[in-house]
Amino acid sequence: MRVPLILDAKKDCNRHALQSPVSHIVRLVLCFFDFRYFPCCCGYNPYVDGWLSTSRNMVRVFVALALAVIIMLAPIFSGEYEGVDNIILTSKYGKAKCATAKVIAGIITAVFTTTLVAAFNLLFAFVFYGTEGLDCSILFAPSDYVEAFIPFNITCWTLLKYQILLAFTCTLSVTGITLFLSAISKNQIVALVAAMAIFLFPVLLPITEANPLFRLVGLLPIYHGLAISLLSVEQMSNGMLYAIWAIPAALLFLGVGAGISRRVFAKHQVS
């Protein structure tokens, strides 16, 4: 009985060929080896399922990315205080150009890494799903997806664009915080632990999305990465979601952190 079912599944997959040839081949192979993939392969499941799964996975990836940025940037200033600062800060350009170069390098690293991770996730999703379902509303999301708690009529593509935007604001905010902590910490382990604690602590606060204070707390970097809570706050009169305020918040974190860290490192007294 199993062989005819598999053959039928393959025939149905041919009738429901997706826009992406690669995605069709991948799904055809899945149908052949495991009949459980048949509904997804042939499009009988809601069109939003694939892209909402991508959205759910991107939440985990972007939070992990923020932690990775913290790990990469924590030693950028504090690592120099273990003896190399004597060489750097007594050189001709050590107190000016070197400090500025470190800040710029940290920002470029964060932006480049985020771009790479976001592009890889989208490319991987397009290979599997093509473009089918991107224009569907997330209001069709099944109840087992957290995206179903966003009460606004936006498409899956709009959701993903907001998530990618929030991924950049998250890493830029984290960059500013980590640069600041690295500059004022004499030990890179202290800078690392402090940055991670500041990043993760807000989720421990007993503040729900219904609390008016969440409009401020939700602009902290961890909620940029988690995305869904911030996207659920409000849809403004111009059609944009409240989450767009993450942009000025990120620029504030980055500007203050980068400015202070450069000044602190440049004025550090060497022995």
Side-chain angles (χ1 to χ4, degrees), residues 3-240:
V3 174
L5 287 174
I6 294 175
L7 294 177
D8 289 340
K10 291 163 66 179
K11 291 178 183 177
D12 284 336
C13 285
N14 289 329
R15 289 200 298 269
H16 295 273
L18 301 177
Q19 296 179 17
S20 170
V22 178
S23 65
H24 172 61
I25 294 172
V26 170
R27 290 158 191 245
L28 190 62
V29 172
L30 291 176
C31 282
F32 184 83
F33 285 103
D34 194 337
F35 188 70
R36 291 175 300 173
Y37 290 99
F38 170 77
C40 181
C41 173
C42 299
Y44 292 155
N45 280 356
Y47 287 125
V48 295
D49 277 13
W51 289 107
L52 291 181
S53 296
T54 300
S55 171
R56 181 166 56 186
N57 292 332
M58 286 171 68
V59 169
R60 303 187 186 101
V61 170
F62 291 148
V63 170
L65 172 64
L67 294 174
V69 169
I70 291 174
I71 293 172
M72 288 189 291
L73 299 185
I76 196 166
F77 290 117
S78 57
E80 311 294 6
Y81 296 148
E82 298 177 3
V84 187
D85 57 331
N86 293 328
I87 301 173
I88 295 175
L89 295 175
T90 54
S91 63
K92 183 177 180 180
Y93 299 112
K95 290 183 177 292
K97 292 185 178 180
C98 183
T100 302
K102 280 180 169 291
V103 170
I104 294 174
I107 296 172
I108 292 175
T109 299
V111 172
F112 177 76
T113 307
T114 306
T115 303
L116 198 63
V117 171
F120 177 79
N121 275 271
L122 281 181
L123 179 62
F124 191 78
F126 276 118
V127 167
F128 272 88
Y129 307 119
T131 58
E132 186 177 2
L134 281 176
D135 58 347
C136 289
S137 172
I138 63 169
L139 297 179
F140 291 103
S143 58
D144 56 335
Y145 285 99
V146 293
E147 288 79 4
F149 293 99
I150 301 177
F152 311 118
N153 186 20
I154 60 174
T155 63
C156 290
W157 180 231
T158 301
L159 171 65
L160 293 176
K161 287 191 290 185
Y162 269 108
Q163 278 193 273
I164 293 172
L165 172 65
L166 291 174
F168 279 98
T169 60
C170 179
T171 51
L172 289 176
S173 299
V174 162
T175 298
I177 293 171
T178 307
L179 287 174
F180 168 72
L181 292 172
S182 180
I184 65 173
S185 301
K186 304 302 181 185
N187 184 288
Q188 52 188 310
I189 300 299
V190 173
L192 175 63
V193 172
M196 285 194 171
I198 291 175
F199 177 65
L200 297 172
F201 177 73
V203 297
L204 302 178
L205 297 175
I207 299 176
T208 64
E209 291 85 345
N211 192 318
L213 286 177
F214 187 78
R215 287 174 173 269
L216 294 177
V217 175
L219 295 177
L220 295 175
I222 182 64
Y223 286 107
H224 299 193
L226 294 176
I228 305 303
S229 296
L230 187 54
L231 291 172
S232 305
V233 173
E234 179 190 6
Q235 187 170 31
M236 297 182 290
S237 57
N238 59 6
M240 292 186 176

